[in-house]
Every structure is written in C-alpha cells, then in structure tokens.
Amino acid sequence: MASAASIAQNTGRELAVIWRQDEHCQCRLRDLIDYDGVLIEDDNADLMRRYAAVEYNYMEVEPNSCFAAPILEDAERYEGQDIYVRSAYSLQGPHVDFNDEQSFLRQLEVASPVQDLIAQVRHPNQLAAHIRAMSAVDFEHLPYEAAANWPTERHTELMEWRRKSQPARFMDRIDQIFEQGDAQTFFVAADHPDTYASLHTRYGDRMVCLKRDLFDRSPRQLQYALADLILLTAADRFLASTYSSFSDIAQRLAPWGRPIEKSGIDF
C-alpha cells in the first residue's frame, strides 16, 4: 500500500486500495487501521482489473506474473489511465520513493481495538524480539504456510532462514545481552505458543508479551498481530527474524537508526 501510494502521488493518480478477505488474511482493512482513503472490498475490483490500461501481477506463482517489474517505467504511455496492481510485495520502479512510503506508513492510525491491546502491555522496553520460526514441514498443511505459495527456489530459501530463526538462537543472544547489562527485560512477539512457553520458563517476569490463545489468520488474531508490530517498535534495540516482512516493517516503523540484529546474520 505504501509503495503504491508513492507511485500514485508521483504520477498524478488516486490510490484505490482493493482489500478482499481470504485464507491468508481474514480481516477487513478497517479492522486494523482507521483508513479514510478509497477502499474497495467487493466485486467492483474485478471490473477495475478488466478495464485498466495495464496490469502488473507480482504474485510469482500465478500465471502471467511479472514479479518486481518496474511499475510505469514508461509513464507517458499510460498518462491519465488506470493501472491495476496485484501484489503481496513492495512495488518497484522509478516512481517509488522511500520517504513517501515512510510518510504514508507513519500517518496510519491503528483501529481502537488494536489500541486497546497495545495498552495491555508495558512499553517501551529496552529490548524487543520477533521470533518467526513456524514455517516448516509440520505446518505446511495450513493454507498460509503451504509450499505452493512460493516458487520452489524461494520456498527453499525461506525454509533455510526459518531454521536460523528458531527460539534457541534468540535465547542465546538474549542471554548475552542480559549478561552484558544492556537490558533487563524484553518484549517478544512469536508465531507459536510453544515459543512463548519456552521463553517464560527461562525468563519469567523478565519477558513481557501480548497474551493470546489465537495463532491463525482470523480477524482477532490479526489485530493481535498489528498490536505486536507496534509494540516491537517501542524498544531501544531489536532482534529480528531474517526473511520476515513482519520484522522488516517493525524496524521501518521504529525510530530512525534503532540498533537491529538479524537472526542467522548477526547472531
């Protein structure tokens, strides 16, 4: 959305967000943020796709994908015409500006149910950790973890990074930070209840988290996820999971220059 907003702004267009619930994301956009822009949640989106002057599909496993193709590289050719983009990734091209993206992201306001969840947890914290470890053979029966969501080579890469973001790796690094006296407590967001249980057994009240019993893609769980994301930004330093867009966006929303360490690279 942020990269599309940048393209729209820099090519004299209006951003229309198409947001339809599916097995990957079962919530509505306004379950998460108080969005006042153009939002389409019904089959009118199909008409927009049909009558757009050009379509870009970044979804790699779908027919006619053009993943990472520059959007409107030849902008004059489509001047004054509608553009349709389908993507789960940041858009690329000459009209995408990082500062525009940051401005768009930082002006978004989280919905009140998410604000209520954030208020339940002590923050800010000296340290935050995001442990994204669940993608593995044991979880590929879940539609949002299925191998078919990625090209073979990208799935192989994903699995390799998930092996490098297991809880034990994070705990070793947290132990080091505690021993050095650089933090006394930390906030953690994780993708499986066993991870929280292991951390609580080891650290007790030195660990804080947003407690829940949901680990799916339901509307309520996604509100928990956004609250986790905001809480990850409210820490002096960050232990991130490499190859996780969730970790990436948490760092982008944090104060500029916050120290970050990435699993499998820095620890």
Side-chain angles (χ1 to χ4, degrees):
M1 284 176 60
S3 55
S6 178
I7 293 172
Q9 175 179 318
N10 294 319
T11 63
R13 289 177 166 82
E14 182 177 19
L15 175 65
V17 174
I18 296 168
W19 185 286
R20 290 193 280 194
Q21 298 154 273
D22 63 14
E23 58 196 5
H24 299 275
C25 182
Q26 297 168 23
C27 72
R28 300 175 64 189
L29 177 60
R30 290 185 176 128
D31 291 332
L32 301 176
I33 60 175
D34 292 331
Y35 186 70
D36 59 3
V38 177
L39 177 62
I40 298 164
E41 300 177 295
D42 57 25
D43 290 343
N44 285 321
D46 297 329
L47 294 176
M48 297 180 71
R49 188 174 194 173
R50 182 183 305 170
Y51 292 110
V54 61
E55 174 185 336
Y56 297 88
N57 187 353
Y58 271 31
M59 307 302 285
E60 297 171 280
V61 295
E62 294 183 359
N64 303 316
S65 170
C66 60
F67 175 69
I71 307 296
L72 290 177
E73 190 171 33
D74 184 7
E76 293 182 359
R77 179 181 177 186
Y78 300 107
E79 186 173 356
Q81 300 182 76
D82 294 338
I83 308 303
Y84 185 98
V85 181
R86 174 172 167 77
S87 181
Y89 307 91
S90 294
L91 308 184
Q92 307 295 315
H95 310 291
V96 180
D97 181 87
F98 179 82
N99 291 326
D100 291 342
E101 290 183 334
Q102 290 296 89
S103 177
F104 178 88
L105 289 170
R106 291 179 183 277
Q107 61 84 29
L108 295 174
E109 295 287 342
V110 299
S112 56
V114 180
Q115 294 179 24
D116 292 342
L117 291 172
I118 293 169
Q120 295 178 18
V121 179
R122 183 196 68 222
H123 65 283
N125 294 280
Q126 296 170 308
L127 176 67
H130 171 232
I131 306 177
R132 176 70 166 103
M134 198 172 77
S135 291
V137 174
D138 291 344
F139 299 100
E140 288 189 350
H141 63 285
L142 301 170
Y144 42 86
E145 299 288 356
N149 290 324
W150 298 274
T152 301
E153 66 279 4
R154 190 176 294 276
H155 181 255
T156 299
E157 186 178 13
L158 170 70
M159 297 291 283
E160 179 62 26
W161 284 112
R162 291 290 178 265
R163 283 191 286 270
K164 294 177 180 179
S165 62
Q166 295 300 306
R169 184 182 292 262
F170 280 82
M171 288 191 284
D172 286 345
R173 182 60 184 133
I174 291 168
D175 288 346
Q176 292 174 356
I177 292 171
F178 281 179
E179 289 168 4
Q180 293 163 0
D182 295 329
Q184 297 301 316
T185 62
F186 69 99
F187 170 79
V188 64
D191 58 4
H192 196 276
D194 289 351
T195 300
Y196 287 109
S198 296
L199 289 165
H200 187 264
T201 297
R202 187 157 181 163
Y203 300 107
D205 292 340
R206 302 180 78 181
M207 179 198 86
V208 293
C209 65
L210 180 57
K211 296 179 181 179
R212 89 289 305 271
D213 56 7
L214 290 170
F215 292 88
D216 54 22
R217 300 297 175 95
S218 64
R220 186 57 173 165
Q221 161 58 10
L222 289 168
Q223 290 176 332
Y224 276 104
L226 181 54
D228 270 342
L229 184 67
I230 302 303
L231 289 163
L232 286 172
T233 72
D236 297 331
R237 59 194 297 177
F238 183 36
L239 302 182
S241 289
T242 302
Y243 214 97
S244 165
S245 57
F246 199 82
S247 278
D248 292 344
I249 198 69
Q251 183 65 7
R252 284 188 63 168
L253 289 173
W256 179 256
R258 176 177 68 167
I260 180 175
E261 298 176 40
K262 296 185 176 183
S263 61
I265 298 175
D266 301 307
F267 66 91

